[in-house]
Amino acid sequence: MIDNIVTGFDAALSAENLLWCFVGVLLGTVIGILPGLGSATGVAILIPVTLTFSPLTALIMLAGIYHGAQFGATITAILIATPGEASSVVSTLDGYRMARQGRAGPALAISALGAFVSAMASLLVLVAVAPFFAHLALDFGPPEMLAVMILGLCTIVVFSGRNLLLGLSLGLLGVLIACVGVDVGSGTPRYAFGQIDLFGGVPFVEVMIGLFAIGELLNQLHIGMAEPIRARFRDLLLTKEDLKRSAAPTARGTVVGFLLGCLPGAGTTLASFMAYGAEKRFSKNRHKLGTGAIEGVVAPDAATNSASNANFVPTLVLGVPGGATTAVLLGAFLIYGIQPGPLLFENQPDLVWGLLVSFFIGNLILLILNLPMAPVFAQLLRVRYAFLYPLIIVTSLLGAYSVKNSMFSVWIVLFFGLVGYAMKRLNFPVAPLVLGLVIGPLFEKAMVQTSALAGEDSLIVFRSPAAVSLLILALALVAGPPLVRRLRPNRTTEPRQPDAPAEETRDAGDAARTPSDSPASDSSAQPTLTEKRPS
């Protein structure tokens, strides 16, 4: 392994490669900040720019865009509740609340630091055991992937808070919305109502922009615009307590992200949700998640970065993309005349190990760029909302339009903006709906493939030890907590908090609280604003 790493450093540490790695990381951060673009779109747009480069230099730059976009998307998710990537949706749940409490700096800093630590750890594992994990991924067929998706759907229980029936209903609604489009099995359109734009399904990015950005903005306009955040400089810095609380969530997020990232097609979004779900189960501060807990920021971001690195296991070793962005990168490989697969490590070791080592370099550049800049980014919250809200609207709508250059995307954003606003006013949790949207297409695809593979064997899923293990884990996730509470009636797993008054207090000088700010409400429902209103 040492020889391979030395080979990689020799290939990656040229002046040209370092320059384009820096350019890629910087461009990726900007692309991630812009709602609607995302890493896959950014990489696809910039592939033509790299056609005159050597293959290694081109891939290093494109990989830098991939990693930079992950952090850039988190910046807007934390500051203005506008996730730039699907994987950064979970970061809004606690990150935005931290920002509203004047702790945007620590939220951004721990996101960068946690992402860097998870990237380093996952890359070391990737370099050491990539062929082994690729072999395991190859053994994961449709039955095993179906079990993974069932496990993912069961995490809706974690995001549902105390009203399990409501959470399950919203999760089912998300799955139904994901069914819009062409049927995977038959190829016939479903629920498209004759709209050609819906044949490809309800666009996920536009839905997220509407639910979070526009929905939150409308909610704030309804309750009255708040004063800008005037946090002291020392409140924008990480503390020893922040670092101590972040250690275990970073480790858990790294493990969850890497394991899911190795599976073809799982992507980074599912990893971020699963990591947050793990924190809701195992964190010592799980009762604080959703109220601005630093664990809720670092765990999903660590999982996202770890999964983005692990996505290269099936991409490089099997020639099968691990996610949307690696699918675009796989096309770039073919453009440059490179055939990913088992022989790639033997035939072109300089390129493979140079690319993997560039991940170390790119993440180090990201840390150096963004960790000192976290307090600077946090100053965005000092802008008066009369100026900030129009900027959010314009950026969101332009970002949505740029996805397909279609006004249909803009209408989707506006419609789901109203849906998001209604959910916030009714105190409905957004996370189960989003999770249903994410897992729905993956679940359907795995189910159709499993059905075709099984033929008349209806028990095919139960003949796989891996699938059975995952199903047992899913059952434990759903039935475990109620069973524990029943067996231990005199003890509670979480400290209960007092119920909040049903109506808002509007007296001048008092803190205005929306129903979604209630401590008794689902802590992971959505980011909301809790601060004093001007008299």
Side-chain angles (χ1 to χ4, degrees):
M1 184 180 74
I2 299 299
D3 293 339
N4 292 330
I5 293 177
V6 171
T7 300
F9 273 107
D10 287 340
L13 287 178
S14 69
E16 182 182 15
N17 288 341
L18 288 175
L19 171 63
W20 288 110
C21 182
F22 173 80
V23 172
V25 165
L26 188 61
L27 286 175
T29 303
V30 175
I31 288 170
I33 290 174
L34 298 175
L37 283 182
S39 57
T41 304
V43 169
I45 290 173
L46 292 173
I47 282 179
V49 177
T50 65
L51 294 179
T52 58
F53 298 171
S54 67
L56 177 58
T57 303
L59 291 173
I60 285 175
M61 177 184 170
L62 296 177
I65 294 171
Y66 183 23
H67 291 105
Q70 302 290 343
F71 182 75
T74 305
I75 294 174
T76 52
I78 290 174
L79 294 181
I80 56 175
T82 307
E85 286 262 11
S87 57
S88 62
V89 167
V90 190
S91 300
T92 64
L93 301 180
D94 282 273
Y96 185 62
R97 283 180 179 265
M98 286 186 68
R100 304 319 308 163
Q101 295 164 7
R103 303 204 69 224
L108 292 170
I110 202 62
S111 174
L113 191 59
F116 175 76
V117 172
S118 70
M120 295 299 103
S122 60
L123 283 170
L124 288 174
V125 177
L126 176 62
V127 168
V129 296
F132 172 73
F133 275 98
H135 178 72
L136 289 181
L138 191 60
D139 290 339
F140 260 66
E144 291 78 14
M145 289 303 297
L146 179 61
V148 171
M149 295 309 137
I150 292 175
L151 176 61
L153 285 172
C154 287
T155 58
I156 289 176
V157 174
V158 174
F159 289 96
S160 298
R162 297 176 188 170
N163 196 335
L164 180 59
L165 182 60
L166 176 61
L168 292 175
S169 301
L170 290 171
L172 178 60
L173 177 61
V175 173
L176 291 176
I177 294 174
C179 288
V180 173
V182 175
D183 178 23
V184 176
S186 64
T188 57
R190 299 174 304 190
Y191 314 123
F193 305 104
Q195 292 289 328
I196 298 178
D197 293 304
L198 288 175
F199 281 16
V202 178
F204 183 79
V205 173
E206 290 90 317
V207 172
M208 293 306 99
I209 293 174
L211 283 176
F212 287 91
I214 304 300
E216 176 64 21
L217 187 147
L218 292 175
N219 186 51
Q220 295 305 324
L221 290 176
H222 176 89
I223 64 178
M225 283 192 287
E227 286 296 303
I229 301 296
R230 304 286 184 184
R232 297 168 296 181
F233 182 76
R234 65 183 181 184
D235 295 329
L236 301 176
L237 303 177
L238 283 170
T239 65
K240 290 183 179 179
E241 178 65 18
D242 292 332
L243 294 174
K244 182 180 178 180
R245 288 175 55 181
S246 301
T250 300
R252 284 190 287 263
T254 300
V255 173
V256 170
F258 192 86
L259 293 177
L260 286 173
C262 288
L263 302 179
T268 57
T269 305
L270 181 60
S272 65
F273 274 96
M274 295 285 278
Y276 193 89
E279 291 309 300
K280 294 280 280 188
R281 283 285 180 254
F282 302 113
S283 175
K284 293 180 180 179
N285 298 304
R286 56 185 175 273
H287 59 282
K288 295 182 180 179
L289 288 175
T291 63
I294 202 164
E295 294 89 345
V297 177
V298 69
D301 287 342
T304 297
N305 239 40
S306 181
S308 66
N309 291 327
N311 278 173
F312 283 90
V313 171
T315 303
L316 294 176
V317 181
L318 302 177
V320 178
T325 307
T326 48
V328 178
L329 284 170
L330 188 61
F333 273 89
L334 300 177
I335 290 174
Y336 305 135
I338 303 167
Q339 181 60 55
L343 298 179
L344 182 62
F345 284 77
E346 296 182 10
N347 296 339
Q348 295 180 285
D350 289 350
L351 184 141
V352 172
W353 295 109
L355 178 62
L356 293 179
V357 166
S358 77
F359 296 171
F360 287 95
I361 300 170
N363 280 280
L364 181 61
I365 294 173
L366 263 177
L367 183 69
I368 294 172
L369 280 177
N370 293 309
L371 191 58
M373 291 293 291
V376 178
F377 288 135
Q379 298 305 310
L380 177 65
L381 298 177
R382 298 175 68 92
V383 179
R384 295 193 64 84
Y385 291 95
F387 302 107
L388 187 58
Y389 283 172
L391 180 63
I392 295 174
I393 294 175
V394 172
T395 304
S396 299
L397 296 183
L398 284 178
Y401 181 83
S402 67
V403 175
K404 296 179 181 177
N405 292 328
S406 170
M407 277 300 296
F408 181 77
S409 297
V410 176
W411 296 122
I412 290 289
V413 169
L414 295 176
F415 174 77
F416 278 94
L418 294 175
V419 172
Y421 167 68
M423 293 181 71
K424 290 175 187 296
R425 300 311 305 166
L426 296 172
N427 199 24
F428 285 0
V430 178
L433 175 64
V434 175
L435 191 57
L437 278 166
V438 170
I439 297 181
L442 301 174
F443 175 76
E444 182 186 16
K445 180 181 177 182
M447 188 165 57
V448 170
Q449 291 176 338
T450 301
S451 177
L453 184 65
E456 298 181 358
D457 184 6
S458 58
L459 300 177
I460 185 173
V461 176
F462 299 99
R463 303 189 192 283
S464 167
V468 170
S469 300
L470 290 167
L471 291 176
I472 292 174
L473 182 59
L475 180 62
L477 185 66
V478 174
L483 183 62
V484 170
R485 286 194 292 268
R486 184 177 293 273
L487 294 176
R488 304 168 67 184
N490 296 327
R491 299 184 62 182
T492 56
T493 56
E494 297 180 7
R496 292 184 61 87
Q497 302 179 22
D499 291 337
E503 297 181 357
E504 301 174 14
T505 303
R506 295 292 185 181
D507 295 336
D510 290 341
R513 183 188 296 275
T514 66
S516 56
D517 290 322
S518 166
S521 66
D522 168 37
S523 61
S524 65
Q526 62 270 333
T528 51
L529 183 60
T530 304
E531 56 183 302
K532 290 185 179 294
R533 307 292 177 190
S535 299

